[in-house]
Amino acid sequence: MKDIVLIGMPGCGKTTFGKKLAKSLGRKFYDADDVLEEREKRTIKSFFAESEDAFRNAETRTLKYLADLDGVVIATGGGAVLREENMKLFSENAHVIFLDRRPECILDSIVDDSRPLLADDKDRIYKLYEERIALYRKYADAIVDNNGSAEETYDALVRQWDILRDE
């Protein structure tokens, strides 16, 4: 059974919708950032304090672990697409769905500074979106718009999953 892997910007809804989708499908859900901190025994913030590269290396180790699981729902970190090797891990045994949310909608929904890349400058989300949008589209098997209501997004996500599952 193929995994379902959600990719997209920080704050786009990967964890929220991933949990809901996993529950409705009777699958286990994994948030890659949570798994990373658990397995590495360090916070993401501490990795970024060392360097972004230190974090990206830990992220790749975590995604390798998650890619070996079967039939689960995975919410990746927003920057997982920055390394081609990360996305190749899911090319055989997963359906990759990009949750596309405009930066202004993300800014409206994030309320804390727990995201290291946005902690000092929340408007950086626009730059990150420009840098990553082509990668999200490149690696996605399907794209789900998350700029409307939560119900509309979830319904679209389920429809995309049904389409991918039947292929």
Side-chain angles (χ1 to χ4, degrees):
M1 178 180 344
K2 286 196 169 190
D3 297 334
I4 301 167
V5 176
L6 302 177
I7 62 173
M9 291 290 294
C12 75
K14 298 180 299 286
T15 298
T16 300
F17 290 107
K19 285 179 181 177
K20 188 173 181 177
L21 185 62
K23 184 176 181 180
S24 69
L25 296 175
R27 294 181 178 215
K28 285 191 175 187
F29 171 77
Y30 294 90
D31 181 296
D33 288 344
D34 291 343
V35 173
L36 182 151
E37 288 185 338
E38 183 180 313
R39 290 177 53 83
E40 298 283 334
K41 309 274 189 265
R42 284 181 67 183
T43 65
I44 290 171
K45 200 171 194 171
S46 75
F47 277 108
F48 271 95
E50 181 181 332
S51 71
E52 185 173 346
D53 198 47
F55 169 72
R56 297 293 170 207
N57 291 335
E59 181 177 54
T60 297
R61 288 191 297 272
T62 300
L63 293 176
K64 284 179 182 175
Y65 164 78
L66 291 171
D68 284 339
L69 301 177
D70 188 45
V72 299
V73 178
I74 301 166
T76 66
V81 295
L82 297 174
R83 288 189 174 177
E84 184 176 9
E85 68 183 295
N86 291 344
M87 300 315 297
K88 282 186 177 181
L89 293 168
F90 300 113
S91 63
E92 294 292 319
N93 190 40
H95 294 298
V96 178
I97 301 174
F98 167 35
L99 284 179
D100 190 6
R101 189 162 197 193
R102 292 187 310 268
E104 57 272 17
C105 293
I106 293 171
L107 282 175
D108 287 344
S109 68
I110 57 175
V111 293
D112 61 25
D113 65 353
S114 65
R115 300 167 198 274
L117 288 176
L118 303 178
D120 297 327
D121 179 10
K122 297 215 184 317
D123 285 333
R124 184 166 185 226
I125 197 80
Y126 293 97
K127 182 178 181 211
L128 291 175
Y129 188 84
E130 286 179 30
E131 290 171 354
R132 297 175 180 179
I133 186 66
L135 293 172
Y136 292 134
R137 289 180 178 151
K138 173 183 175 180
Y139 294 119
D141 297 313
I143 299 172
V144 171
D145 180 84
N146 184 19
N147 295 297
S149 73
E151 295 79 20
E152 291 169 330
T153 299
Y154 184 71
D155 289 346
L157 181 58
V158 170
R159 279 194 307 277
Q160 285 302 324
W161 165 241
D162 286 341
I163 292 167
L164 291 170
R165 182 183 59 199
D166 292 339
E167 288 181 354

